[in-house]
């Protein structure tokens, strides 16, 4: 079933394969490499820290999330994410040595405070917002695209969730870019 703890502070992580578009045009091995990258990204972070779950796979990017329980866990998880970026690159280099120094990985991590919005509450949202004083209260939400709370298909929406996609442009090879609120 769905993760009952997805409301609250959520840590998001993106592992992004560098040069994958050029690689797909140059090598017939690209499906093997992408598949291996997907598996490594999930395995590496989950082996270091409990609680990371796959959010989604988007082309050459793996997105994960984790409910934040404490600031100590958060600090530890950021170092684990950085370690994972380098472990994924090393493992890809070992598996596909002919592409070493061409393919690499960059990471991005950010935080958002999210509100769980069960499907039955989505219909009430209009009157909630229209009542006036609630206009700016809904910032970031977890939604259930299949309309059932028991589903494992969830998505996160909101301005703080989107920050990660904007700052990921500043990520570099074997580096981890973190949002300002996570750094603070």
């Amino acid at each position: 079933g769905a993760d009952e703890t997805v409301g609250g502070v959520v840590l998001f992580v993106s592992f992004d394969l560098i040069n994958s578009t050029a690689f797909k045009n140059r090598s017939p091995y690209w499906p093997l490499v992408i598949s291996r990258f997907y598996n490594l990204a999930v395995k590496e972070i989950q082996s270091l820290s409990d609680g990371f779950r796959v959010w989604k796979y988007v082309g050459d990017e793996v997105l994960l999330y984790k409910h934040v329980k404490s600031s100590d866990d958060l600090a530890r998880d950021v170092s684990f994410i950085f370690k994972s970026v380098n472990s994924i690159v090393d493992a890809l280099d070992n598996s596909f040595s002919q592409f070493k120094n061409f393919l690499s990985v960059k990471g991005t991590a950010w935080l958002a405070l999210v509100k769980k919005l069960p499907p039955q509450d989505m219909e009430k949202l209009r009157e909630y917002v229209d009542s006036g004083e609630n206009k700016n209260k809904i910032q970031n939400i977890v939604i259930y695209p299949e309309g059932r709370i028991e589903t494992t298909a969830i998505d996160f929406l909101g301005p703080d969730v989107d920050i990660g996609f904007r700052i990921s442009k500043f990520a570099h090879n074997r580096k981890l870019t973190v949002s300002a609120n996570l750094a603070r």
Side-chain angles (χ1 to χ4, degrees):
D3 183 350
E4 293 304 316
T5 62
V6 290
V9 178
V10 177
L11 173 62
F12 294 97
V13 181
S14 161
F15 295 114
D16 200 348
L17 192 60
I18 297 173
N19 288 331
S20 65
T21 302
F23 179 68
K24 288 178 212 161
N25 291 323
R26 287 171 65 170
S27 174
Y29 294 105
W30 70 264
L32 292 171
V33 173
I34 299 287
S35 176
R36 179 91 172 110
F37 165 65
Y38 281 177
N39 292 331
L40 282 168
V42 175
K43 184 181 87 101
E44 289 297 325
I45 192 61
Q46 287 181 340
S47 72
L48 293 170
S49 180
D50 290 338
F52 276 100
R53 300 181 70 163
V54 172
W55 174 13
K56 54 186 158 185
Y57 300 94
V58 184
D60 56 1
E61 185 178 16
V62 178
L63 295 155
L64 300 106
Y65 69 93
K66 178 181 180 178
H67 180 73
V68 176
K69 294 184 173 108
S70 75
S71 57
D72 289 344
D73 285 350
L74 186 58
R76 214 173 7 260
D77 282 337
V78 170
S79 68
F80 289 151
I81 295 165
F82 177 67
K83 184 176 181 185
S84 295
V85 167
N86 287 288
S87 297
I88 296 164
V89 176
D90 292 342
L92 285 172
D93 286 351
N94 288 337
S95 297
F96 304 99
S97 58
Q98 67 271 40
F99 308 120
K100 192 174 183 171
N101 300 323
F102 184 71
L103 288 173
S104 194
V105 175
K106 61 185 182 176
T108 307
W110 68 101
L111 291 173
L113 177 61
V114 300
K115 175 179 174 27
K116 198 155 77 169
L117 192 66
Q120 63 273 18
D121 291 355
M122 192 62 80
E123 297 304 315
K124 299 177 197 162
L125 190 58
R126 182 183 298 272
E127 67 186 62
Y128 179 79
V129 172
D130 288 346
S131 71
E133 75 265 10
N134 299 313
K135 264 199 193 340
N136 297 315
K137 285 198 180 154
I138 295 186
Q139 287 294 313
N140 306 289
I141 60 171
V142 181
I143 64 165
Y144 302 84
E146 295 173 4
R148 297 187 337 271
I149 203 159
E150 318 80 59
T151 184
T152 54
I154 63 170
D155 205 355
F156 298 90
L157 301 173
D160 294 337
V161 176
D162 293 346
I163 283 171
F165 301 105
R166 287 196 296 278
I167 66 170
S168 67
K169 293 182 212 109
F170 303 105
H172 294 286
N173 177 19
R174 284 189 180 256
K175 300 279 190 274
L176 176 64
T177 299
V178 298
S179 67
N181 69 349
L182 176 54
R184 186 183 73 238

